[in-house]
Amino acid sequence: MAIGSFLRQKFRRSTSNASSISISSQDCSQSQSQPQNQNQHQHHNQNHNHTHGSRSTKSRRGSQTPSRRAPSTFGSATIDETAEKSDGTATSTRAEAKSLLENASGEQSSDLHSPSSKHISIPDTKAIEEADCADFPTPNTDTISPVAEEEVEDLDEITPDGNAQGTSATNTPKAKARPAELQRRQSLVPPQQTRLIKTLLETELPSVNRAATLDYFTSNGSSTISPNMVSRKIWVRRPGASATLVTINEDDLVDDVRDMILKKYANTLGRSFDSPDVTLRIIPRENQQQRTLGPEEPMGRTLDAYFPGGQTVEDALVIDVPPRRTPRPSPHTGRQYYEDGRPLESASEYFPPMAVPAPPSPHLPASIPVNGLANHNHSNLATHSMSVLTTGHVPALPSPGRRPHHPTTNRPRMGRQHTSSPTIISTHQQQTVMNNEKSSNPAPAAPPLPTPPAPLQAESSQIQRVATPPPRVSSPRPRTTNSRPKKKKTNADHPSLPAGMLNGAVPPINVLIVEDNIINLKLLEAFMKRLKVRWQTAMNGKEAVTKWRAGGFHLVLMDIQLPIMSGLEATKEIRRLERLNNIGVFSSSAGAGAEEGGEVEAEEDRLPSSVLFKSPVIIVALTASSLQSDRHEALAAGCNDFLTKPVNFVWLERKVMEWGCMQALIDFDGWRKWKDFSQMQQLESGEGGEEKKKADVKKKKGKSSRISTSGSGELMKVGEAREMGVV
Amino acid sequence: MPDRHEEERSEEGSVGLPDLGDSIDAATFEQILEMDDDEDEREFSKSIVFGFFEQAEQTFTKMDDALKAKDLKQLSSLGHFLKGSSATLGLTKVKDSCEKIQHYGQKKDEAGTEDEPDEEKCLERIKDSLVQVKEEYAEVEKVLRKFYD
């Protein structure tokens, strides 16, 4: 297996082997640079007859051999001394030995590279080669193998030589310098590599690799290689299915293998099972009792124990997953069962029977309230069909005998996976719509006016009563040009506005500003002035309710924390009164009982109710609080919207525009009344009015007349308004 | 906005907005300055700002009194009150400190999320915050007075 894919495999894994992954990768990068270095030394110091490939193999092995023995057999210094000495005296065979030792100790004094890093790189170089060999048993293998054998012999020779030289060299003065370097070798090793070094130095691994099916190179004496770095493949299969190879690491536990299996079976198993769900069964050859492997068992060794000659396809481990439909009676019969059941299960995940989550299913209505509330936060439609299928909501199960087991086996998953179904969602939406209607929905709610003349008077009188802003057009122009574009843009966002409204101004709504802080109040007032809308102020909640009762407000900017009566309380009170008066509710659908119930109280507000309270007032909460909970509280109390202080005036303008336009649409005739009225005022007040203004007014009139066919007839207007209300 | 700054500088011959320092949120304060345009130049914002000075000093006095009286509720509401106006003016630091006082007054932690049942602790914290907010206020007052000079 190529080291690249080996690493890729490793990197894909999210197991505890993470540390070894990093080692491997580092080593890999080092091994790319180091071999050259190595070769240089080798060229420099000795002559090899071997091919490049075999040489590096050898040097690798050499490095391992001494280092493994270093702690026990030699004193470290001795090795180095040996190498030093052999520099000059090496014979052709000993040159090899020397180079091995040299690699092992990193004794080259001119070597700028850390010897330790070389050490690490070497085994890896070997790993690469081994891996290559293993994966591609090309003719090369034939040439390398003999070499390897040769080397084994070499090593045998080296050992005594090294010993001899070592003992003879102990007296050399250079001996002093060496230990330090060896010390350094240790200290330079990055922490994550110490494990590898230790392995190289100490491991006397039994030849576990030998049994691995594809581990041809194990005979090379690679037992010193960290098991982490050696992969092997094992056969696994699902019951009744054909076997497949899974790559594992030598020291992987069964638990790790499960991860790999889930990766391999990413579609059938991986989607619905976690690795702990999976169990592996080993079926020994001699008809011994088959056995389920525990997660803590070392995979490689277990296999080797059961299949001494190496695992074959027939020995494939059987992958079991928890039964979904019936508890598994016994391993044997269970197997039989799976052979039928397994394909069904996987098939059902891919090709869900579409009729299953049908809304009229009897289960669902019962579960709606609970689930709708609990799960609507993460209503994940994508998982729906799956979740229903994998959780017990499949109504029709083939055999009745299985059914009783079903809920119990799947209970844990039900709660988690049973997210909202389409039915639930639709009911939820219905609920919210109803809420909107009740509390805030500014849908065309204007009740048909009882008789044209009466409301007319009320209306006009009301308009005169309400504090009107200074004549709108006569304000100084220079600065407003700044804000004009903004307004026009905002208007562009509402293309459905009646043409007459697009005069570049905020709709003529009436705003109630509720603020206890005089500074804020002053600013908001100034801003309203600038927007040229009518406004009134209240300094506390009680005052706000009182002023609202007078009627005619479209928008309330409500500070939340107020003295006497808080903004929230005031909001609730306003909503309550609106409900009592059926404001914003179609008279046809309005419950008469509610109206009667609140009659006494309502008497006070209802004077102009049909005209002045066409729709629920829009309440925009103003809060300086950064707490989300305060906002939710505000919305819960009946506010339609909220703004955070410091109020951004662009935002405020947008809000006024948005809500104002909406209200103006609802209260269309009221708006037009006001419009006409203010225009009249303008005309009267602006006696010497410029031609432009008049032209402007004419334009407006023209626009409104386009809609109204007759611009001045009051009766006609009311009739129209009624039409509008109906539409 | 840049041309507005220049304009103000030329008109007033005083510090421009960049000199307001980091304790004042420029964007928020600017939109107040912009309101001047409907009135005589600067008159409106000046009245707002100086109104705030007055309000802040009154509030500080009340806070001192409430602290002596160990009236946490009053302290909280005063903190909220000043928080509102300082936020509107973009006096970020003052606003934050006021918010802390408000939360402490509610027997909560700094962020207002967790309860702090120990009243003495809350009062202690308010005391510290009050010193802090006064300093912060003094700083912005200086800057703003200079701006309006």
Side-chain angles (χ1 to χ4, degrees):
Chain A
M1 150 176 215
I3 194 144
S5 62
F6 169 71
L7 285 174
R8 251 177 278 127
Q9 285 275 16
K10 292 225 61 158
F11 277 119
R12 243 184 272 141
R13 304 183 45 169
S14 57
T15 60
S16 58
N17 281 342
S19 61
S20 63
I21 292 169
S22 64
I23 291 175
S24 306
S25 64
Q26 280 195 0
D27 291 345
C28 215
S29 59
Q30 281 172 353
S31 69
Q32 284 166 354
S33 59
Q34 287 294 329
Q36 299 159 356
N37 191 24
Q38 228 171 282
N39 290 342
Q40 279 173 9
H41 289 304
Q42 283 165 346
H43 286 301
H44 187 64
N45 292 321
Q46 76 253 351
N47 299 314
H48 280 287
N49 300 328
H50 302 291
T51 62
H52 173 84
S54 64
R55 185 171 57 199
S56 49
T57 310
K58 196 183 298 172
S59 60
R60 170 264 310 167
R61 289 178 56 245
S63 73
Q64 287 153 5
T65 314
S67 56
R68 178 166 45 139
R69 299 181 182 195
S72 49
T73 320
F74 307 111
S76 323
T78 320
I79 301 170
D80 295 325
E81 279 310 318
T82 306
E84 282 275 311
K85 241 196 161 177
S86 64
D87 260 349
T89 62
T91 64
S92 62
T93 39
R94 279 181 190 173
E96 289 174 18
K98 182 213 63 119
S99 79
L100 304 176
L101 290 166
E102 163 190 299
N103 278 318
S105 58
E107 55 81 31
Q108 293 83 3
S109 47
S110 61
D111 191 2
L112 293 176
H113 292 264
S114 136
S116 59
S117 66
K118 186 179 291 169
H119 265 287
I120 293 153
S121 72
I122 292 159
D124 223 61
T125 318
K126 174 236 173 198
I128 295 172
E129 284 167 19
E130 283 173 347
D132 284 337
C133 296
D135 256 9
F136 312 105
T138 50
N140 268 348
T141 0
D142 296 327
T143 56
I144 291 173
S145 304
V147 170
E149 279 168 36
E150 222 177 277
E151 283 167 9
V152 176
E153 290 166 17
D154 288 349
L155 285 171
D156 293 337
E157 287 176 79
I158 291 159
T159 314
D161 280 350
N163 252 330
Q165 287 176 347
T167 43
S168 67
T170 29
N171 299 330
T172 354
K174 282 181 184 176
K176 279 177 187 172
R178 289 302 140 200
E181 203 169 323
L182 279 170
Q183 290 268 339
R184 205 184 80 203
R185 185 207 301 169
Q186 291 279 344
S187 62
L188 278 180
V189 176
Q192 71 266 33
Q193 290 181 347
T194 51
R195 187 173 156 212
L196 178 66
I197 295 296
K198 261 186 201 149
T199 316
L200 289 172
L201 291 176
E202 290 159 13
T203 315
E204 297 280 351
L205 255 195
S207 51
V208 276
N209 293 339
R210 205 151 288 164
T213 43
L214 290 187
D215 252 357
Y216 119 90
F217 49 79
T218 45
S219 58
N220 281 4
S222 63
S223 57
T224 48
I225 296 296
S226 159
N228 278 331
M229 307 174 63
V230 182
S231 65
R232 61 188 282 179
K233 293 189 170 185
I234 59 165
W235 289 104
V236 296
R237 66 184 169 92
R238 300 188 67 187
S242 73
T244 185
L245 282 173
V246 170
T247 306
I248 64 162
N249 289 308
E250 192 49 50
D251 64 347
D252 272 358
L253 301 178
V254 171
D255 194 42
D256 300 316
V257 178
R258 300 196 293 197
D259 288 342
M260 299 309 288
I261 286 170
L262 281 191
K263 288 209 175 68
K264 191 101 182 182
Y265 290 95
N267 286 320
T268 49
L269 297 179
R271 292 201 181 187
S272 45
F273 294 99
D274 296 330
S275 70
D277 296 340
V278 177
T279 51
L280 282 178
R281 232 174 336 127
I282 192 163
I283 305 171
R285 280 172 191 162
E286 282 84 28
N287 278 337
Q288 298 169 31
Q289 190 59 34
Q290 53 175 274
R291 166 174 99 77
T292 300
L293 297 175
E296 76 290 351
E297 292 181 61
M299 194 70 246
R301 256 178 261 180
T302 310
L303 280 180
D304 294 338
Y306 272 87
F307 311 116
Q311 190 201 27
T312 62
V313 190
E314 286 74 31
D315 303 326
L317 300 174
V318 179
I319 305 164
D320 288 333
V321 290
R324 312 230 116 229
R325 308 226 149 89
T326 56
R328 202 176 52 186
S330 80
H332 295 286
T333 49
R335 239 172 116 205
Q336 279 301 109
Y337 162 70
Y338 281 133
E339 287 179 7
D340 306 328
R342 193 55 53 192
L344 261 183
E345 177 192 305
S346 49
S348 72
E349 278 163 13
Y350 275 111
F351 305 83
M354 295 316 283
V356 163
S361 150
H363 309 291
L364 287 176
S367 61
I368 282 168
V370 180
N371 289 311
L373 287 173
N375 291 332
H376 83 273
N377 278 339
H378 46 93
S379 53
N380 191 348
L381 279 173
T383 62
H384 167 63
S385 58
M386 271 278 295
S387 62
V388 168
L389 287 162
T390 52
T391 61
H393 271 257
V394 185
L397 283 173
S399 96
R402 291 172 179 178
R403 208 180 242 164
H405 298 290
H406 201 67
T408 46
T409 48
N410 290 302
R411 181 140 298 159
R413 279 172 180 261
M414 273 173 68
R416 186 168 61 90
Q417 291 210 350
H418 182 82
T419 52
S420 53
S421 74
T423 348
I424 291 161
I425 282 171
S426 62
T427 37
H428 186 67
Q429 280 167 348
Q430 278 169 12
Q431 282 167 355
T432 50
V433 166
M434 281 168 62
N435 285 343
N436 279 344
E437 272 174 7
K438 265 185 207 154
S439 60
S440 61
N441 189 6
L449 304 175
T451 49
L456 261 181
Q457 286 170 350
E459 212 170 330
S460 46
S461 64
Q462 165 246 326
I463 283 156
Q464 276 153 350
R465 243 189 288 132
V466 170
T468 44
R472 311 185 87 223
V473 192
S474 58
S475 63
R477 280 288 156 191
R479 218 24 98 174
T480 42
T481 46
N482 271 355
S483 55
R484 271 296 148 100
K486 268 190 233 154
K487 286 171 186 170
K488 274 183 182 150
K489 249 185 253 161
T490 329
N491 276 330
D493 291 344
H494 305 276
S496 58
L497 289 178
M501 226 171 253
L502 297 169
N503 291 332
V506 171
I509 52 169
N510 197 8
V511 181
L512 177 62
I513 306 168
V514 191
E515 250 292 356
D516 64 324
N517 194 312
I518 187 73
I519 303 284
N520 294 352
L521 194 59
K522 268 166 101 177
L523 257 176
L524 287 171
E525 275 189 280
F527 191 71
M528 292 303 140
K529 212 183 277 177
R530 209 177 128 178
L531 285 180
K532 296 178 203 72
V533 298
R534 292 167 291 169
W535 81 92
Q536 285 186 39
T537 60
M539 295 285 282
N540 63 59
K542 200 157 200 165
E543 197 184 339
V545 174
T546 313
K547 290 214 171 180
W548 170 82
R549 282 180 169 217
F553 288 105
H554 303 96
L555 184 65
V556 180
L557 298 176
M558 181 82 81
D559 189 19
I560 288 309
Q561 267 196 20
L562 294 167
I564 304 175
M565 185 192 253
S566 83
L568 291 182
E569 284 168 52
T571 303
K572 285 177 190 163
E573 173 68 7
I574 289 172
R575 295 299 182 219
R576 186 186 67 84
L577 290 171
E578 280 176 348
R579 238 175 293 134
L580 284 177
N581 287 283
N582 287 318
I583 290 166
V585 181
F586 287 109
S587 48
S588 55
S589 67
E595 209 170 341
E596 282 160 17
E599 191 124 17
V600 183
E601 254 183 315
E603 281 303 325
E604 297 158 335
D605 334 308
R606 211 194 290 164
L607 303 168
S609 83
S610 61
V611 177
L612 288 183
F613 299 91
K614 293 239 157 151
S615 66
V617 71
I618 303 293
I619 304 180
V620 178
L622 301 177
T623 169
S625 171
S626 49
L627 293 181
Q628 198 70 23
S629 58
D630 287 358
R631 304 181 174 189
H632 292 311
E633 223 180 319
L635 295 180
C639 295
N640 301 77
D641 211 336
F642 58 79
L643 283 170
T644 312
K645 290 184 204 168
V647 173
N648 181 320
F649 288 153
V650 177
W651 271 99
L652 182 55
E653 183 177 337
R654 288 210 147 220
K655 294 289 179 202
V656 171
M657 180 73 76
E658 275 173 31
W659 294 116
C661 288
M662 206 175 273
Q663 291 283 42
L665 274 173
I666 295 160
D667 189 16
F668 187 64
D669 64 315
W671 166 74
R672 229 164 38 188
K673 282 267 144 52
W674 184 86
K675 196 86 183 161
D676 283 354
F677 176 76
S678 65
Q679 278 169 9
M680 293 297 283
Q681 260 200 346
Q682 277 169 31
L683 287 175
E684 284 164 19
S685 64
E687 299 145 336
E690 311 133 45
E691 289 302 309
K692 271 185 192 172
K693 275 182 193 169
K694 277 178 186 171
D696 213 20
V697 168
K698 271 176 196 166
K699 230 190 265 169
K700 282 177 203 163
K701 279 200 169 174
K703 275 173 190 165
S704 60
S705 64
R706 245 197 300 160
I707 303 165
S708 64
T709 58
S710 91
S712 52
E714 294 286 309
L715 285 171
M716 283 299 290
K717 274 190 177 176
V718 172
E720 258 172 53
R722 198 193 265 165
E723 275 172 32
M724 296 285 298
V726 170
V727 174
Chain B
M1 281 301 126
D3 29 340
R4 275 199 53 74
H5 295 173
E6 282 162 26
E7 192 183 303
E8 270 150 25
R9 227 172 261 150
S10 56
E11 280 170 15
E12 299 287 311
S14 67
V15 249
L17 277 180
D19 295 333
L20 289 174
D22 62 343
S23 34
I24 300 174
D25 180 51
T28 309
F29 191 67
E30 259 174 59
Q31 67 178 9
I32 296 169
L33 291 182
E34 227 176 294
M35 303 289 272
D36 283 335
D37 304 330
D38 281 342
E39 313 284 321
D40 293 333
E41 284 298 329
R42 198 55 50 84
E43 203 169 287
F44 172 75
S45 67
K46 196 173 180 177
S47 78
I48 293 274
V49 169
F50 281 80
F52 173 76
F53 291 160
E54 209 173 295
Q55 186 185 76
E57 273 146 26
Q58 282 170 9
T59 311
F60 288 147
T61 316
K62 282 185 196 166
M63 278 179 171
D64 287 334
D65 294 344
L67 194 61
K68 267 176 219 153
K70 298 191 177 181
D71 187 347
L72 280 177
K73 209 175 165 187
Q74 173 73 0
L75 282 165
S76 175
S77 114
L78 287 169
H80 171 79
F81 182 75
L82 198 60
K83 177 180 82 170
S85 44
S86 53
T88 300
L89 288 179
L91 311 179
T92 329
K93 285 185 182 172
V94 177
K95 183 212 134 183
D96 289 345
S97 296
C98 287
E99 188 163 27
K100 282 182 199 168
I101 293 174
Q102 182 193 352
H103 291 317
Y104 293 146
Q106 290 163 340
K107 290 199 240 172
K108 292 195 169 169
D109 69 343
E110 181 179 304
T113 44
E114 274 168 50
D115 289 337
E116 173 57 68
D118 189 348
E119 280 193 27
E120 284 305 317
K121 217 179 208 172
C122 292
L123 284 168
E124 199 57 39
R125 285 176 179 167
I126 290 176
K127 207 172 167 185
D128 295 343
S129 295
L130 191 52
V131 173
Q132 198 189 341
V133 76
K134 279 176 181 168
E135 282 168 14
E136 287 159 351
Y137 166 74
E139 193 189 323
V140 292
E141 189 194 8
K142 207 170 111 191
V143 174
L144 286 173
R145 281 196 193 275
K146 198 175 162 199
F147 180 78
Y148 281 106
D149 265 349

